[in-house]
Amino acid sequence: MDTILVKALAKVNLGLDVLRRREDGYHEVRMIMQTIHLYDQLKIEKTEESGISISANLDFLPTDENNLIYKAAKLLMDTCDIKKGVAVELQKHIPVAAGMAGGSTDAAAVLYGMNELFSLGLKRRDLMELGVQIGADVPYCLMRGTALAEGIGEQLKSLPPMPKCPVLIARPPIGVSTRFVYENLKLDRHTVHPNINAQLDALRRGNLKDVAKHMGNLLETVTIPAYPVIDEIKRCMMDCGAINAMMSGSGPTVFGLFKDMHTAKEAYETMRDSKLAKQVYLTGIYNNRRV
């Protein structure tokens, strides 16, 4: 085959704790990651002429080596000595720079798609080991489903699947710098950490209510004081019947979990009417893993 279509799925963090700052400057984390059914679509095509070309439906996205798609394609070409080129057409739907691993999941999709397209025969573990060279979230985006992430996010363990439920996504019209968040994060004996162990237990029991009850993101201690609209969106979702609502990753996107679709749809309409968010999506949990 000369062309392949690949879906690159977004993630949310059901729980996000930061344990310490390492000597190398990275932070050691403990997170519960979850794939949701919101995705970008990539069309990857072989070209006779060597090189990498990228086109996208959003004109502000980089299409050169500053895009993780380019870095993923280049890494696989160099590693596997691929002589032909690739053209990647990106349809971007996941909010950009929003704490949902949008760039990382696109890179993961390129690694997966090119492996299939060029019949490279690499296993998922091989692709994950390559992916960590691009970014800490890339191995998880190759894995998908429900997972515990430790280290800098690259140490992954599969978990029992998250119970299915509607998920409301709202991204406010602001940008949040991940560097700003981590540089201003205070870690000391007074820090109140999310209860990741309680959430792990709830997942093992398949109890949606308790998974939601123990949601927590330590990075909110930085983002909410700096960007109060994040808290406004959370409150709006809770007022509309969410079991719980939280910021994903370093933000600014907020997601809410709901018991039923009727309540979630009404919350979706309220959120859109509120003008608090620039992008609003109603989606669901995605638990299928890649082989």
Side-chain angles (χ1 to χ4, degrees):
M1 66 183 163
D2 293 323
T3 305
I4 187 170
L5 293 175
V6 186
K7 289 180 180 178
L9 282 86
K11 66 84 183 170
V12 293
N13 299 95
L14 298 173
L16 194 164
D17 194 10
V18 182
L19 306 181
R20 66 183 182 93
R21 182 184 174 92
R22 307 193 319 186
E23 290 182 1
D24 60 9
Y26 287 98
H27 284 78
E28 194 167 302
V29 297
R30 195 160 186 249
M31 308 182 291
I32 297 178
M33 315 275 272
Q34 177 60 53
T35 313
I36 59 172
H37 208 271
L38 173 64
Y39 58 88
D40 298 338
Q41 185 159 291
L42 291 85
K43 178 182 178 183
I44 308 169
E45 187 174 6
K46 289 181 187 176
T47 60
E48 291 300 324
E49 187 177 342
S50 63
I52 302 161
S53 66
I54 303 170
S55 61
N57 61 321
L58 302 178
D59 57 13
F60 61 83
L61 293 175
T63 55
D64 55 12
E65 62 273 8
N66 293 311
N67 193 311
L68 295 188
I69 287 173
Y70 188 102
K71 293 181 180 180
K74 182 72 164 56
L75 178 61
L76 210 51
M77 285 176 165
D78 292 346
T79 302
C80 299
D81 196 29
I82 297 171
K83 301 301 183 186
K84 290 189 175 183
V86 291
V88 182
E89 183 180 313
L90 171 65
Q91 290 293 317
K92 189 75 179 168
H93 304 291
I94 300 170
V96 177
M100 303 185 74
S104 294
T105 194
D106 290 344
V110 169
L111 293 176
Y112 174 84
M114 286 182 63
N115 186 45
E116 298 292 312
L117 194 62
F118 290 95
S119 302
L120 301 177
L122 297 173
K123 303 297 185 185
R124 185 182 68 175
R125 176 56 57 184
D126 300 325
L127 296 175
M128 290 170 69
E129 288 175 359
L130 285 171
V132 75
Q133 299 178 46
I134 304 166
D137 280 344
V138 177
Y140 168 72
C141 293
L142 282 157
M143 179 180 177
R144 305 200 299 204
T146 314
L148 176 67
E150 297 179 293
I152 62 170
E154 87 290 3
Q155 298 173 20
L156 298 168
K157 179 183 177 182
S158 295
L159 296 174
M162 168 73 175
K164 293 289 184 76
C165 66
V167 182
L168 181 61
I169 304 292
R171 186 198 192 282
I174 58 171
V176 175
S177 163
T178 300
R179 172 178 282 186
F180 165 82
V181 174
Y182 277 97
E183 284 181 349
N184 288 276
L185 181 65
K186 290 181 174 60
L187 295 173
D188 55 36
R189 61 190 179 89
H190 300 295
T191 302
V192 179
H193 292 270
N195 194 340
I196 300 295
N197 287 338
Q199 202 169 48
L200 290 172
D201 179 65
L203 283 167
R204 294 186 188 104
R205 292 183 285 109
N207 189 314
L208 174 61
K209 183 178 178 181
D210 282 354
V211 171
K213 175 183 175 182
H214 294 292
M215 281 165 48
N217 182 344
L218 191 62
L219 301 184
E220 287 186 345
T221 60
V222 178
T223 55
I224 286 179
Y227 306 98
V229 66
I230 294 171
D231 197 47
E232 291 182 62
I233 292 174
K234 288 178 60 177
R235 290 177 183 275
C236 181
M237 288 189 183
M238 296 297 292
D239 289 344
C240 289
I243 314 170
N244 207 347
M246 189 177 80
M247 183 183 77
S248 183
S250 57
T253 299
V254 175
F255 70 96
L257 305 182
F258 289 79
K259 290 180 181 178
D260 62 87
M261 186 57 73
H262 176 74
T263 305
K265 285 181 177 177
E266 289 189 339
Y268 169 81
E269 296 297 338
T270 301
M271 182 58 65
R272 286 190 63 185
D273 292 343
S274 73
K275 307 298 183 184
L276 291 171
K278 183 178 181 180
Q279 293 168 280
V280 183
Y281 299 97
L282 181 56
T283 182
I285 297 296
Y286 185 93
N287 278 321
N288 292 349
R289 300 186 188 279
R290 283 202 173 107
V291 177

